[in-house]
Amino acid sequence: MFYKDERLALFIDGSNLYAAAKSLGFDIDYKLLRQEFMRRGKLLRAFYYTALLENDEYSPIRPLVDWLHYNGFTMVTKPAKEYTDSQGRRKVKGNMDIELAVDAMELAPRVDHIVLFSGDGDFRPLVESLQRQGVRVSVVSTIRSQPPMISDDLRRQADNFIELDDLKEVIGRPPREHQNDKDSAFAASH
């Protein structure tokens, strides 16, 4: 439920939203996403959180980051950490939960409604705190993937759950084919 006069802010957990949309078989058109929520209320800010591999000459997510930055999104990035796991596989770690939580808490007194694009159950205490401050919180993720991409605790805590699959016609586009497996693996970790 949205009200035309309410002040909205979007908080997008980039890797989580990417994974949820991929599991449903579509890509997010961020221009359409922004337009959809501008239509639903007074959009004050749209934050996008992602970690970036600094040492790669070309990162598959770099064009998206640049586009979002030039098209009205507040970009919050940090260098991803690379490590080798116990099986000798190269892994990338780039958790942005704390940055997102701090920004949401700081913005809470200036908004009426926060839309969180993530299914990560670690955000449940954040949602609870925002609600105690009088902010309504909608969570966008999916229960239609196998397994579901949203934590049950987060879904129960939110004022409103928006099924990402229901937004497909409004904010989706067919998925692009990745150039190679390295791009797919990197993008999936983001």
Side-chain angles (χ1 to χ4, degrees), residues 39-81:
R39 195 180 59 69
R40 293 184 181 207
K42 294 178 182 169
L43 184 61
L44 300 184
R45 288 276 178 281
F47 292 91
Y48 186 97
Y49 297 82
T50 191
L52 298 171
L53 276 177
E54 297 297 325
N55 56 353
D56 276 9
E57 319 75 67
Y58 172 75
S59 164
I61 199 167
R62 176 57 70 183
L64 172 63
V65 169
D66 291 343
W67 187 92
L68 291 169
H69 185 72
Y70 285 110
N71 286 277
F73 286 80
T74 301
M75 297 305 301
V76 183
T77 62
K78 74 177 180 186
K81 306 253 190 290

Side-chain angles (χ1 to χ4, degrees), residues 5-190:
D5 62 340
E6 70 183 353
R7 298 165 301 165
L8 281 177
L10 310 181
F11 287 84
I12 301 168
D13 175 346
S15 63
N16 198 285
L17 181 58
Y18 173 87
K22 186 174 166 71
S23 75
L24 294 170
F26 71 97
D27 284 343
I28 303 293
D29 183 322
Y30 287 95
K31 182 177 184 181
L32 294 176
L33 182 146
R34 195 162 176 274
Q35 287 172 350
E36 174 62 19
F37 286 91
M38 286 172 77
R39 195 180 59 69
R40 293 184 181 207
K42 294 178 182 169
L43 184 61
L44 300 184
R45 288 276 178 281
F47 292 91
Y48 186 97
Y49 297 82
T50 191
L52 298 171
L53 276 177
E54 297 297 325
N55 56 353
D56 276 9
E57 319 75 67
Y58 172 75
S59 164
I61 199 167
R62 176 57 70 183
L64 172 63
V65 169
D66 291 343
W67 187 92
L68 291 169
H69 185 72
Y70 285 110
N71 286 277
F73 286 80
T74 301
M75 297 305 301
V76 183
T77 62
K78 74 177 180 186
K81 306 253 190 290
E82 279 189 84
Y83 67 97
T84 305
D85 72 7
S86 58
Q87 280 79 44
R89 292 177 298 214
R90 183 176 156 241
K91 296 280 191 173
V92 177
K93 182 175 167 66
N95 193 316
M96 299 292 291
D97 292 3
I98 296 298
E99 290 83 353
L100 188 153
V102 168
D103 290 346
M105 294 298 289
E106 285 180 351
L107 200 59
R110 295 172 191 85
V111 296
D112 303 306
H113 192 161
I114 282 178
V115 183
L116 173 63
F117 290 81
S118 181
D120 188 337
D122 291 346
F123 288 125
R124 194 204 57 75
L126 169 66
V127 171
E128 189 177 26
S129 176
L130 292 168
Q131 291 167 330
R132 283 194 306 266
Q133 296 178 61
V135 177
R136 290 185 333 109
V137 181
S138 292
V139 174
V140 180
S141 188
T142 185
I143 56 171
R144 295 188 185 148
S145 59
Q146 283 304 326
M149 298 288 292
I150 185 160
S151 130
D152 198 45
D153 287 346
L154 180 63
R155 185 173 173 212
R156 289 173 194 266
Q157 186 66 52
D159 293 298
N160 188 22
F161 169 69
I162 300 170
E163 170 58 54
L164 181 61
D165 199 30
D166 293 342
L167 292 176
K168 184 177 183 172
E169 298 303 313
V170 184
I171 67 167
R173 65 167 191 255
R176 287 190 189 147
E177 292 302 314
H178 291 286
Q179 296 149 355
N180 60 41
D181 291 333
K182 182 182 174 197
D183 284 358
S184 298
F186 178 80
S189 72
H190 281 66

